Amino acid sequence: MLTQERYQSILSIINDKNAVTVAELALMLDTSESTIRRDLTALDELGKIKKVFGGATSITQSGGMYEDNVHTREHLMYDEKTEIAKYCAGLINNTDFVYIDAGTTTSRLIDFIENDKATYVTNGITHARKMIQKGLSTYMLGGKIKPLTEAVVGAESILSLKGLNFSKAFMGTNGIDLSAGYTTPDLEEARIKEAAINTSYMAFILADRTKFRRVFSVSFAQLKQCCIITDHVPDNRFSNETIIKEVMK
């Protein structure tokens, strides 16, 4: 089978099934798994599919309202999140007033923070505990606790941000899309993210490459409102919309 014919077959299968493994494609197309992996990488770079560990998904697949818990997400893309976190920790200066959003990559950021002169605010329960243990000057927003993500959300948390002017905000996201911007499944989390970004001089989105070309239920910012810190951009069109730093390029 010619390469272009195989590409078309792969696209047809993925669009039909929404998600498929490398082993399944190799069996269905009677070719080697190494060839399928190369094909998936090429199609991902072309923006035709979304390559994931062990297979691929359709880019038309929406994240909807579903969200994994913290313990599941913290082990995904571990090395990539670590490199993103290391880079972001180096952006913090002595005089900074920093907001750190709840999330697994932002939690990893705290592991590498060495600056104990800056002041930190967070809506993440585990984030606050980690910062206290490191001896950092830490404030936590008040409000309702969301067990799934261990984040503080709701009207009270947004009210807590009133009058605060952050020099830097480090934010998490579930999806990054050219049209929808930055998205998350939860309305209350979206509103606290939106408020934090709007009250920050500089806002950084910490996101590995699997977050690109995904759309969840609620948008909380346009692409141009934040700089993106990622391991690798899977689609160069995103670089035309905002500043992006690729830490593993």
Side-chain angles (χ1 to χ4, degrees):
M1 183 182 292
L2 297 175
T3 300
Q4 289 300 323
E5 293 177 351
R6 198 170 56 248
Y7 282 2
Q8 290 301 319
S9 296
I10 290 172
L11 288 172
S12 178
I13 293 169
I14 291 175
N15 288 332
D16 181 57
K17 296 170 66 68
N18 282 330
V20 67
T21 67
V22 169
E24 287 174 329
L25 286 171
L27 182 62
M28 295 171 74
L29 300 177
D30 191 25
T31 189
S32 68
E33 292 190 6
S34 60
T35 297
I36 293 298
R37 290 191 184 93
R38 287 194 296 270
D39 290 346
L40 294 182
T41 297
L43 289 169
D44 180 273
E45 291 175 351
L46 289 170
K48 301 296 185 181
I49 62 165
K50 182 177 183 297
K51 186 179 179 183
V52 296
F53 182 76
T57 65
S58 168
I59 60 172
T60 60
Q61 184 181 37
S62 172
M65 295 297 293
Y66 177 75
E67 187 170 17
D68 290 323
N69 62 43
V70 170
H71 300 297
T72 298
R73 289 185 288 116
E74 66 185 0
H75 297 296
L76 300 175
M77 305 294 288
Y78 186 89
D79 292 341
E80 289 81 358
K81 289 179 179 180
T82 296
E83 292 305 313
I84 292 168
K86 286 180 181 179
Y87 179 85
C88 288
L91 298 176
I92 300 173
N93 300 318
N94 290 348
T95 57
D96 276 332
F97 186 35
V98 180
Y99 181 81
I100 299 182
D101 185 29
T104 55
T105 310
T106 52
S107 177
R108 191 76 49 79
L109 162 65
I110 298 168
D111 297 335
F112 299 100
I113 291 177
E114 296 181 355
N115 193 317
D116 59 2
K117 302 289 194 302
T119 301
Y120 302 88
V121 178
T122 185
N123 71 322
I125 297 172
T126 57
H127 297 48
R129 181 171 60 248
K130 289 172 72 172
M131 286 191 284
I132 290 171
Q133 291 171 346
K134 296 194 71 164
L136 305 179
S137 177
T138 306
Y139 293 84
M140 186 169 180
L141 301 184
K144 182 177 73 174
I145 296 172
K146 182 184 174 187
L148 185 65
T149 58
E150 299 179 2
V152 175
V153 298
E156 287 299 322
S157 62
I158 295 174
L159 186 61
S160 298
L161 289 170
K162 187 176 182 180
L164 302 183
N165 299 294
F166 300 108
S167 54
K168 294 183 176 79
F170 296 96
M171 310 298 299
T173 189
N174 295 81
I176 304 174
D177 181 74
L178 289 167
S179 298
Y182 308 106
T183 62
T184 184
D186 186 271
L187 178 61
E188 289 185 309
E189 283 209 41
R191 295 292 80 88
I192 187 69
K193 289 174 185 289
E194 180 181 42
I197 290 170
N198 287 342
T199 194
S200 299
Y201 179 70
M202 297 181 67
F204 302 91
I205 294 288
L206 285 59
D208 64 74
R209 63 181 180 275
T210 65
K211 304 296 179 66
F212 289 86
R213 299 197 296 260
R214 297 196 72 187
V215 178
F216 285 79
S217 303
V218 191
S219 297
F220 60 86
Q222 298 177 10
L223 290 182
K224 64 183 179 181
Q225 290 181 262
C226 307
C227 302
I228 301 174
I229 313 298
T230 186
D231 55 301
H232 174 68
V233 180
D235 186 334
N236 288 331
R237 289 179 297 171
F238 287 93
S239 300
N240 297 327
E241 300 299 325
T242 191
I243 297 171
I244 301 179
K245 171 63 179 179
E246 298 172 273
V247 299
M248 297 180 73
K249 187 173 181 180

